[in-house]
Amino acid sequence: MLYIGVDLGTSAVKLLLMDEEGKIKNIVSKEYTLSFPQNGWSEQNPKDWYEQTILGIKELIKYFDKSQIAGISFGGQMHGLVVLDENDEVIRPAILWNDSRTTKETNYLNNVIGKDKLSQHTANIAFTGFTAPKILWMKENEPENFKKISKIMLPKDYIAYKLSNVFCTDASDASGMLLYDVKNRCWSKEMINICGINENQLANVFESYEVVGTLTKDIAKELDLDENVKVIAGAGDNAAAAIGTATVGEGRCNISLGTSGTVFIASEKFGVDENNALHSFAHSDGNYHLMGCMLSAASCNKWWIEEILKTNDYNKELNNIENLGDNKVFFLPYLMGERSPHNDPSARGCFIGLSMDTTREEMSQAVLEGVAFALRDSFEVAKSLGIKIESTKICGGGAKSPIWVKMIANILNIKVERIESEEGPALGGAILAAVGCKEFTSVEEAANKIVKVIETIDPDPVLVEKYEIAYRKFAKIYPTVKNLYPELM
């Protein structure tokens, strides 16, 4: 049998076809546009997601036996606000995870409603990227659109709805809305009241590996597939990536170097960081996880290489980096504000330590190191909770860079395991589809059978010592400059 995984990313949808043994048969990617109507705003048209997903599926399965396709599932960008009216028409462009317009609403939730109450109701506090503050923003700034809302959904769930006509979400993705009681795996009535909505506007919640329905007759006809092809709930992109890297089971860790960057720590038990510097979410295996998320990771490198250096030759730029641990230039990677652990939407990127002899290579190196240092910020919070992590998987576009992976191994002082496929969320989606179709008895069984480690990068004690000194310097920069950020907005 064949299974389709759909990774609905920020810049493109990636589709992956996997057989019952976990072998990847085909991969297709389709891009769509991202708009920034105002400073700090980030939006997309959900119809673009759907159109490119349909085109991508057609291309993905074109040369395969379509009768063998059994299921389809998803990983998708989290937190985005997608709203439909009573006719199932999109009311306004989706407000994305990296949108920072909701500073006022986030402050209201954290300071008036109170962080303790939010954590009690949802296991998390408010961040500008979360869905609940966006709902409050829409209520205040677009009241006519707010009144039209019939369905509130997340990006991947819009695709699931278009394919199956089932209004659904999953526990991992719902966890990032600030509307979901993570501990008890249900919608929070208190948060629903605070946001001025009703539970009928929210989807039915499934576990990530559960079947929500099958393809509609029209979709099946358009894709030339059987109507009995199952649609499985899927997961938020980081939870899906965790499945695609076998980050399942107590204390297992995955670092994602995608547009955003995350440190994902799986747990069999529910737990909350007392300062809420890390997110406490449901995992797509039916358990839980802690996660630190930075808003700009590989996107920092893309910005630096393409927008500033005006080249597409990533290898040439990164292969010239030589003196690891000795760089005197530092970079704060907060190009879209920052989430974990600072929760500061006004934060912005900056270089510091430049001199007349600073080279292009040192600045490129500083960008990569800045992202790795920021990931360590979340890693340090996890360590403060007594969590011992000796190794991590790694995925995302940045994982393809040997020099970046080496930096992470030494800056975090842990073994980094590269896996056979770095497709993360798309592979995780395909695995969830296979589990939903009973190809495997559990998510853990499927992930452990399919995901294979091909290389382990060990930290070098000499570099670890150098980077320890460098990290302590990096950690002083944000506290020193943070009060300037509001003045620069």
Side-chain angles (χ1 to χ4, degrees):
M1 306 303 292
L2 297 171
Y3 303 96
I4 297 173
V6 178
D7 172 19
L8 192 71
T10 308
S11 57
V13 59
K14 181 174 286 186
L15 304 106
L16 180 148
L17 189 66
M18 182 188 82
D19 68 16
E20 69 277 2
E21 295 179 352
K23 295 179 181 177
I24 297 174
K25 310 301 290 185
N26 197 15
I27 295 174
V28 167
S29 183
K30 295 289 184 182
E31 295 184 353
Y32 31 69
T33 57
L34 178 67
S35 64
F36 305 100
Q38 297 186 36
N39 181 35
W41 290 28
S42 181
E43 298 183 348
Q44 277 176 332
N45 185 347
K47 293 180 180 179
D48 291 343
W49 302 334
Y50 171 69
E51 290 172 359
Q52 295 306 312
T53 298
I54 292 297
L55 289 174
I57 292 175
K58 289 178 179 179
E59 185 176 334
L60 184 77
I61 64 178
K62 185 174 181 179
Y63 298 109
F64 294 87
D65 182 353
K66 297 179 180 61
S67 69
Q68 292 298 300
I69 295 174
I72 180 171
S73 190
F74 317 89
Q77 50 170 300
M78 298 178 68
H79 314 303
L81 176 63
V82 183
V83 285
L84 307 187
D85 64 19
E86 60 182 7
N87 298 315
D88 284 346
E89 293 295 326
V90 175
I91 296 171
R92 69 163 338 277
I95 306 175
L96 302 190
W97 59 273
N98 56 354
D99 187 290
S100 59
R101 77 184 68 182
T102 62
T103 300
K104 176 183 175 182
E105 291 74 20
T106 300
N107 289 337
Y108 165 75
L109 289 168
N110 283 332
N111 300 323
V112 178
I113 300 301
K115 293 180 179 180
D116 289 343
K117 284 188 177 180
L118 294 179
S119 185
Q120 179 184 345
H121 297 327
T122 71
N124 296 280
I125 62 173
F127 291 81
T128 54
F130 280 11
T131 317
K134 294 169 185 168
I135 293 172
L136 290 175
W137 180 90
M138 193 173 171
K139 183 180 179 182
E140 173 70 20
N141 295 277
E142 298 180 354
E144 293 305 314
N145 280 338
F146 182 81
K147 291 176 184 177
K148 296 177 185 177
I149 296 175
S150 176
K151 294 181 178 68
I152 296 170
M153 57 180 66
L154 294 159
K156 78 172 194 326
D157 303 325
Y158 176 74
I159 303 302
Y161 184 60
K162 295 287 285 185
L163 296 184
S164 68
N165 202 33
V166 177
F167 185 29
C168 63
T169 190
D170 80 288
S172 74
D173 217 359
S175 296
M177 297 180 76
L178 204 68
L179 295 169
Y180 191 67
D181 181 340
V182 174
K183 182 177 181 180
N184 297 302
R185 283 176 131 80
C186 63
W187 294 118
S188 166
K189 289 182 171 53
E190 293 83 0
M191 290 305 301
I192 287 171
N193 290 334
I194 288 168
C195 290
I197 58 176
N198 63 73
E199 195 164 340
N200 291 334
Q201 292 171 297
L202 299 173
N204 291 326
V205 184
F206 294 80
E207 292 298 337
S208 301
Y209 49 82
E210 290 183 328
V211 176
V212 302
T214 57
L215 296 179
T216 67
K217 183 177 181 180
D218 289 344
I219 292 294
K221 183 178 180 181
E222 182 171 1
L223 296 176
D224 193 23
L225 292 173
D226 193 286
E227 290 179 45
N228 292 318
V229 170
K230 293 180 173 62
V231 178
I232 290 84
D237 52 5
N238 291 295
I243 301 303
T245 57
T247 309
V248 182
E250 183 65 31
R252 292 195 179 182
C253 181
N254 177 56
I255 289 174
S256 175
L257 278 178
T259 302
S260 62
T262 60
V263 176
F264 184 109
I265 304 164
S267 175
E268 294 176 356
K269 298 178 181 178
F270 171 79
V272 178
D273 155 32
E274 65 177 15
N275 296 315
N276 293 107
L278 301 181
H279 307 323
S280 179
F281 290 164
H283 195 355
S284 47
D285 63 355
N287 292 314
Y288 299 93
H289 72 270
L290 291 172
M291 184 176 72
C293 178
M294 56 184 297
L295 296 181
S296 302
S299 53
C300 289
N301 194 39
K302 179 179 174 67
W303 162 81
W304 174 247
I305 299 290
E306 296 184 11
E307 298 299 325
I308 306 303
L309 300 184
K310 301 296 184 182
T311 178
N312 289 310
D313 194 343
Y314 281 69
N315 290 331
K316 180 181 178 181
E317 295 299 328
L318 303 186
N319 288 343
N320 290 329
I321 295 174
E322 295 179 347
N323 299 317
L324 296 189
D326 295 322
N327 199 2
K328 293 181 175 60
V329 180
F330 291 87
F331 173 72
L332 292 190
Y334 311 141
L335 298 182
M336 291 291 293
E338 190 54 305
R339 190 181 292 178
S340 304
H342 303 308
N343 192 13
D344 186 353
S346 67
R348 289 296 181 265
C350 70
F351 285 99
I352 190 168
L354 302 178
S355 63
M356 286 297 291
D357 60 353
T358 295
T359 66
R360 175 182 181 132
E361 290 76 19
E362 287 172 332
M363 294 184 74
S364 296
Q365 179 176 339
V367 171
L368 301 187
E369 289 173 337
V371 172
F373 286 141
L375 288 170
R376 177 165 168 179
D377 282 342
S378 289
F379 197 74
E380 289 296 306
V381 176
K383 288 200 300 185
S384 73
L385 299 175
I387 299 172
K388 294 183 179 180
I389 304 168
E390 296 181 354
S391 67
T392 183
K393 303 287 199 322
I394 193 165
C395 68
K400 297 175 182 178
S401 167
I403 191 73
W404 211 350
V405 174
K406 185 176 181 179
M407 288 177 183
I408 288 170
N410 288 286
I411 288 172
L412 273 64
N413 191 19
I414 54 173
K415 296 179 179 180
V416 178
E417 297 176 333
R418 290 187 58 245
I419 56 178
E420 187 175 51
S421 168
E422 294 164 350
E423 300 305 328
L427 178 58
I431 291 173
L432 290 170
V435 175
C437 293
K438 308 300 182 185
E439 193 71 60
F440 301 93
T441 59
S442 70
V443 172
E444 187 167 6
E445 178 205 358
N448 288 336
K449 283 186 177 180
I450 291 171
V451 179
K452 296 176 177 61
V453 174
I454 59 171
E455 181 185 12
T456 299
I457 296 88
D458 292 308
D460 178 335
V462 174
L463 287 180
V464 168
E465 185 175 353
K466 287 184 176 183
Y467 272 127
E468 183 65 29
I469 296 170
Y471 173 70
R472 295 304 167 190
K473 294 177 182 177
F474 173 87
K476 294 178 182 178
I477 300 172
Y478 170 77
T480 302
V481 302
K482 70 176 182 179
N483 291 331
L484 289 173
Y485 286 129
E487 300 180 29
L488 301 176
M489 296 298 286

